Amino acid sequence: MKRRQWHELRPDLVEQIRRDLAANYPTLHLSLEGRWAEVRGTFPVLGEGGRVLDRFQIRIILAPDFPRSLPITFETGGRIPWTAARHVVEHSGAACVLLPDERWKIFPVGAPLLDYLRGPLHSYFLGQLVVEAGGKWPYGEWGHAADGILEFYYDTLGVRTPEAVLRYLAALKRPKLKPHKACPCGSTRHMADCCLVEIKALREKIDAQTATESIEYIKKEIQRRELLEVRTSQRRTGEMLMRVAGQAVGL
Amino acid sequence: MNKNEYLQEILEEQTFESSDQEMKDLRRRRDDIKKLLLEKFSGSTISIRWGGAMAKGTMIRESYDGDMTSYFEHEDTAAGESLSDIFDNVAKALEGDYIVERKTSALRIRDKAYATRGTDFHIDVVPGRYTDDTKADVFIHQNGGSKERLKTNLDVHIDHIKDSGVVDAIRLMKLWNVRYGAGAKTFVLELLTVKLLKGRKGKDLSDQLEHVWKEFRDNAENLSVEDPANPSGNDLKPALDACRWSLSSIARTTLSKIDSDGWESVYGPLKDEEESKESKAAAIHVAVSSATVPTRPWCGEK
């Protein structure tokens, strides 16, 4: 049986989005005509006193599991290059607006779409204007892929290794916490006697799916680093052997 | 300034001059692509020319693309036996120098250079093959459509729009479509506008636009168009169905905004020609420092 999409289950949310867009972003509208629900039109980057500084043509896909899933935004005017440096996915053109793990701080699940438009999306396009003019991302940028995820968890958890972050994420991913298990902080104490309260609080903010996706990113990064180490070591060994062989010939 | 003078000013803002950098870039890129294709298919005579908005005179600054034909002769198989082969082989010929995005019937060209990778060149290359030696009708390949090939005729399309007498209204409708994300395919919107304005050539622009929007609002279910180059073979109903509701809904909002706040609420204030790059940069700087939710972008790729 075909799974029903959010807009079929939540007509109230459809109405709320339409009302909010009409009142605050009249050049955007919600369309339910395609395969997925999407917001289309032009997004104004606003300056002082609501002055429109510039506009970007956009399309925001609200996937079937919205509002749990993040909106997926595309700049459709062909203005922003599809490069990681401009925070656009190269193969699809999707805008990398925010780090999913950080979502709870700025656009938590259930928050109105308006919060996404006014917050991260506005920052994103304002940043694009600055970068387009030759400047740097005005509020900084997360490292790409696993680097950004690790930076975020290093800041949030105060740990310093990918392995430690993975232990925490495993605790976020689990359907149920096991307090008698070792604490992910690495203290060797039981979670119940150590960081249980903090981890419970984190589970309220970062859901299991986000944690699972971040685990995948970090594991891939660990594999990449390991492969790089093996290759570096092989190269060094090869160079050493060449030197030894050269010296032997010289003798 | 009255409403029609305002609309003319908006059109003026949306008009490219031949000396504008964007136009120079388009021409330069077209020449590069032409050279590349002629080298790759050196034994062929390929008809490479501008189609789309460039040829019809309906281009707008806010959203512009150069559609470039790449039509092979009727008997020519240098680029492939089938239309699908031609589509693929032209794409492959371009892939050495460009990132090529395969669209329904066209190939979108993006920059491949490391430093500027992914930059959109605003050019679509449309491969095809003439149906016979008269070099009028063309078959083009269709990805994912109901038919694998589509018969079309560029000159018929160009003449249909150019001779309609409502090019200004078409351009403003295109701007409206882009600005509000109505989602109508440009070709469908052009045909709709021409059809709905039949017998209204002499009316003011504002009257023409209001008429089209009223039709969208009140008669969306019955809107229909046909391809003048292939009335029975190119079914445009699915393309129209995909935007019918949006056209109607946005037209309703637009008309009510004109009533309550005037035309400027639809197309926005006219640009301040005096505004310098410096003052825009200063305004952006102020916006950056006063953001209420400053966030950092991330990217899932390296």
Side-chain angles (χ1 to χ4, degrees):
Chain A
M1 200 172 74
K2 194 185 157 205
R3 214 174 121 206
R4 292 170 78 194
Q5 297 202 24
W6 69 271
H7 57 85
E8 296 165 307
L9 301 164
R10 296 280 314 271
D12 60 315
L13 189 51
V14 170
E15 278 317 303
Q16 187 200 332
I17 291 172
R18 287 203 163 127
R19 260 198 321 272
D20 286 349
L21 291 178
N24 299 280
Y25 289 92
T27 54
L28 291 175
H29 83 283
L30 175 66
S31 163
L32 305 177
E33 288 154 313
R35 188 171 156 211
W36 289 325
E38 61 183 48
V39 172
R40 293 193 303 240
T42 44
F43 183 80
V45 181
L46 302 174
E48 213 175 14
R51 177 187 156 202
V52 177
L53 299 175
D54 215 323
R55 293 174 192 280
F56 287 88
Q57 289 164 44
I58 62 162
R59 179 173 163 239
I60 306 173
I61 291 178
L62 305 176
D65 60 345
F66 179 81
R68 200 215 67 77
S69 61
L70 275 168
I72 308 164
T73 300
F74 298 85
E75 186 270 320
T76 55
R79 182 165 161 183
I80 305 172
W82 292 9
T83 60
R86 293 294 290 269
H87 292 277
V88 178
V89 178
E90 270 185 31
H91 64 271
S92 68
C96 304
V97 175
L98 76 162
L99 180 68
D101 306 71
E102 193 193 23
R103 162 178 201 176
W104 56 274
K105 282 185 180 174
I106 44 187
F107 176 53
V109 175
L113 184 67
L114 209 51
D115 287 4
Y116 173 77
L117 301 173
R118 284 176 170 162
L121 198 65
H122 194 264
S123 282
Y124 179 81
F125 282 117
L126 188 57
Q128 292 288 358
L129 287 182
V130 175
V131 174
E132 202 172 70
K136 287 184 179 169
W137 287 94
Y139 312 116
E141 55 186 317
W142 293 111
H144 298 313
D147 294 347
I149 297 170
L150 289 171
E151 280 167 30
F152 171 76
Y153 284 107
Y154 290 168
D155 281 356
T156 308
L157 303 170
V159 293
R160 283 290 165 263
T161 64
E163 290 74 15
V165 173
L166 280 178
R167 287 197 301 269
Y168 272 98
L169 287 172
L172 301 183
K173 180 188 162 185
R174 251 178 233 129
K176 213 175 164 194
L177 270 182
K178 293 181 178 169
H180 61 281
K181 294 272 184 183
C183 189
C185 74
S187 67
T188 70
R189 284 186 287 172
H190 291 156
M191 207 188 302
D193 303 325
C194 196
C195 305
L196 184 63
V197 175
E198 290 86 346
I199 291 166
K200 275 185 174 171
L202 209 55
R203 280 168 65 96
E204 296 287 314
K205 297 166 182 167
I206 298 165
D207 65 13
Q209 191 168 329
T210 305
T212 306
E213 285 163 11
S214 293
I215 288 171
E216 288 306 309
Y217 271 111
I218 295 170
K219 280 186 175 171
K220 267 189 210 162
E221 177 61 16
I222 291 174
Q223 279 171 0
R224 195 187 68 82
R225 287 181 189 179
E226 282 171 354
L227 193 66
L228 199 69
E229 268 179 37
V230 170
R231 282 186 184 154
T232 310
S233 152
Q234 282 172 341
R235 201 189 68 234
R236 283 187 186 143
T237 309
E239 284 168 358
M240 194 182 73
L241 287 172
M242 290 291 282
R243 266 201 311 276
V244 171
Q247 283 166 357
V249 171
L251 281 172
Chain B
M1 187 183 291
N2 67 34
K3 56 191 175 185
N4 287 297
E5 286 167 345
Y6 162 78
L7 291 173
Q8 285 298 342
E9 290 285 329
I10 292 288
L11 279 173
E12 190 64 30
E13 280 182 2
Q14 292 293 328
T15 305
F16 280 117
E17 297 298 328
S18 172
S19 56
D20 284 339
Q21 192 56 47
E22 292 92 335
M23 291 296 102
K24 285 182 185 167
D25 289 345
L26 276 181
R27 287 195 295 270
R28 187 171 51 82
R29 191 66 54 195
R30 177 200 57 189
D31 293 343
D32 289 349
I33 292 170
K34 186 174 179 176
K35 194 172 160 220
L36 191 67
L37 292 177
L38 292 176
E39 272 173 15
K40 179 75 186 173
F41 306 106
S42 55
S44 300
T45 306
I46 316 173
S47 167
I48 296 174
R49 58 187 275 216
W50 287 127
M54 189 80 101
K56 295 173 192 166
T58 56
M59 193 170 260
I60 52 169
R61 252 179 206 282
E62 191 137 329
S63 174
Y64 69 96
D65 298 316
D67 290 342
M68 218 180 123
T69 68
S70 167
Y71 295 162
F72 290 81
E73 290 185 337
H74 171 50
E75 302 279 351
D76 190 350
T77 55
E81 292 285 340
S82 67
L83 286 163
S84 159
D85 291 343
I86 292 176
F87 189 82
D88 274 341
N89 288 328
V90 170
K92 281 176 192 158
L94 296 168
E95 274 165 353
D97 289 28
Y98 301 101
I99 295 171
V100 178
E101 185 192 342
R102 287 163 160 82
K103 294 167 68 175
T104 308
S105 294
L107 302 164
R108 186 70 159 184
I109 306 299
R110 290 177 189 277
D111 199 351
K112 204 175 182 179
Y114 180 74
T116 46
R117 191 176 174 81
T119 301
D120 193 342
F121 288 139
H122 298 270
I123 285 189
D124 286 330
V125 177
V126 187
R129 180 153 62 196
Y130 286 112
T131 59
D132 55 36
D133 292 334
T134 62
K135 292 193 178 180
D137 289 345
V138 172
F139 283 127
I140 55 173
H141 172 66
Q142 279 211 301
N143 276 318
S146 56
K147 295 174 178 176
E148 277 190 15
R149 71 176 192 183
L150 182 69
K151 194 172 87 170
T152 188
N153 185 315
L154 185 58
D155 289 317
V156 171
H157 286 166
I158 293 169
D159 292 345
H160 185 78
I161 301 301
K162 273 185 140 175
D163 299 343
S164 67
V166 292
V167 168
D168 283 351
I170 289 173
R171 294 181 68 219
L172 285 168
M173 286 305 298
K174 278 177 71 174
L175 178 58
W176 173 80
N177 185 42
V178 168
R179 186 74 63 86
Y180 292 90
K185 286 196 179 298
T186 304
F187 180 47
V188 170
L189 187 73
E190 286 173 348
L191 294 176
L192 272 174
T193 309
V194 172
K195 184 177 177 184
L196 294 172
L197 292 180
K198 211 168 181 184
R200 289 177 175 267
K201 261 195 246 182
K203 298 273 182 188
D204 285 341
L205 255 181
S206 56
D207 293 336
Q208 290 178 341
L209 296 177
E210 282 188 277
H211 176 73
V212 175
W213 288 325
K214 279 176 187 164
E215 286 293 318
F216 286 178
R217 180 191 64 187
D218 303 333
N219 206 14
E221 286 306 311
N222 302 314
L223 293 173
S224 66
V225 280
E226 59 181 37
D227 181 348
N230 188 358
S232 57
N234 184 9
D235 182 11
L236 296 174
K237 189 173 177 294
L240 191 50
D241 286 344
C243 61
R244 217 177 272 280
W245 186 88
S246 290
L247 288 175
S248 173
S249 160
I250 301 169
R252 178 176 294 108
T253 315
T254 303
L255 288 164
S256 93
K257 275 203 294 192
I258 293 170
D259 276 348
S260 56
D261 305 313
W263 281 84
E264 218 175 87
S265 65
V266 178
Y267 288 110
L270 293 170
K271 279 185 190 146
D272 180 4
E273 284 182 16
E274 300 300 312
E275 190 193 45
S276 63
K277 270 189 179 175
E278 288 75 20
S279 67
K280 186 178 175 187
I284 291 171
H285 180 74
V286 171
V288 164
S289 52
S290 59
T292 48
V293 193
T295 56
R296 294 195 252 174
W298 172 72
C299 198
E301 283 181 349
K302 280 203 173 185

